[in-house]
Amino acid sequence: MILSLAISKIKSKGYKITKPREAILKILISSKNKMLSADGILKETQIICANINITTIYRNLEILENIGVIHKVVSSKGISLFKLLCNEFHHHHLICNYCGKVESIDFCPIEYYKKISADKDFYLTDHKLELYGFCKNCINSKKNIF
Amino acid sequence: MILSLAISKIKSKGYKITKPREAILKILISSKNKMLSADGILKETQIICANINITTIYRNLEILENIGVIHKVVSSKGISLFKLLCNEFHHHHLICNYCGKVESIDFCPIEYYKKISADKDFYLTDHKLELYGFCKNCINSKKNIF
DNA sequence: TTCTTATTGCAAAAGATTTGCATTTAAAAT
DNA sequence: ATTTTAAATGCAAATCTTTTGCAATAAGAA
């Protein structure tokens, strides 16, 4: 997603374009293939928007998630991580354990699981599927990965 | 997993069998197909172990996770949920958003993803796949689910 | 430029989880 | 059975992330 699209999404929902909001967007865009915490976003935005407050970060992240500009996952330590939505169809992510690089993978087995769930009288609403591994770069670098 | 196996795992790692620890185990075993929060476990164990403290719950859950007796997931609200490890082959879980009921699902698409990942020069090491929805009981109860 | 309302910053609250420390207890040693 | 000792516990307080209340500010319409 690019800035102009994000901004038009925001405007179309009746939200204003403020300096803090734009700073947050810019940071999200410049880290589009990396998950960021609220605190990480705060620190990055402070560079381009001096007085921004963590409250503003959270309030904007909530709005941006609701209007479909960003995507949130909760890490295994319970911390919320955010990243700009890719501008594609539903897909999943392959995340490098070492450098955090994210690759998209289109295949999703959800239809199969919907069937299985229905057989078990479960109504499926949601799923979490994340793949972890090491990217070529990190395998090739002689770093202490394994 | 049954109590005796869990206890022998605990002993084999040099941990003691205390009353609070045993109470926690019993609760986990009696709710083996349900995800429980630390607070939920506290409330249940208080019935059979009056003075137990939330600190003790957390400390024991950490140990039990480390020695492979329980399994932890983090909900989308960032709350840690726990359940006894099933004693079976690799599988995934279908979790009721409302009551926490868990069903096991044997199908796992990992082989397929391994192939896709290799094509992208990614070496897959791990994956997280959780399915969320509502169980029959919770749909039928007229509670405010949706 | 003025007006209206959303947005912001700050401080404080809330909720989950962790830590420090003195006391208690399991289980090994005697 | 008693003593010993290290682990485990309970309590209070701290920490960390996230949320809320409120007065001040700023965006964008009039």
Side-chain angles (χ1 to χ4, degrees), chain B residues 83-108:
Chain B
K83 115 183 212 325
L84 212 65
L85 267 188
C86 310
N87 204 11
E88 305 157 26
F89 296 113
H90 176 75
H91 62 275
H92 294 286
H93 290 123
L94 191 49
I95 301 166
C96 178
N97 293 318
Y98 190 78
C99 72
K101 183 184 174 188
V102 171
E103 292 248 13
S104 294
I105 292 205
D106 288 331
F107 174 66
C108 175

Side-chain angles (χ1 to χ4, degrees), chain A residues 20-74:
Chain A
R21 187 163 287 162
E22 211 172 345
I24 293 168
L25 275 179
K26 281 181 181 161
I27 294 309
L28 288 165
I29 286 168
S30 71
S31 311
K32 65 155 94 16
N33 49 4
K34 197 177 163 190
M35 306 288 328
L36 291 172
S37 65
D39 189 63
I41 293 168
L42 174 69
K43 276 163 184 146
E44 296 278 344
T45 47
Q46 278 174 332
I47 298 169
I48 55 175
C49 180
N51 257 336
I52 195 167
N53 190 276
I54 189 68
T55 308
T56 301
I57 303 289
Y58 278 111
R59 286 197 271 230
N60 276 287
L61 289 173
E62 195 189 352
I63 289 173
L64 293 175
E65 194 194 359
N66 289 341
I67 66 175
V69 169
I70 62 172
H71 167 239
K72 167 184 166 182
V73 303
V74 179

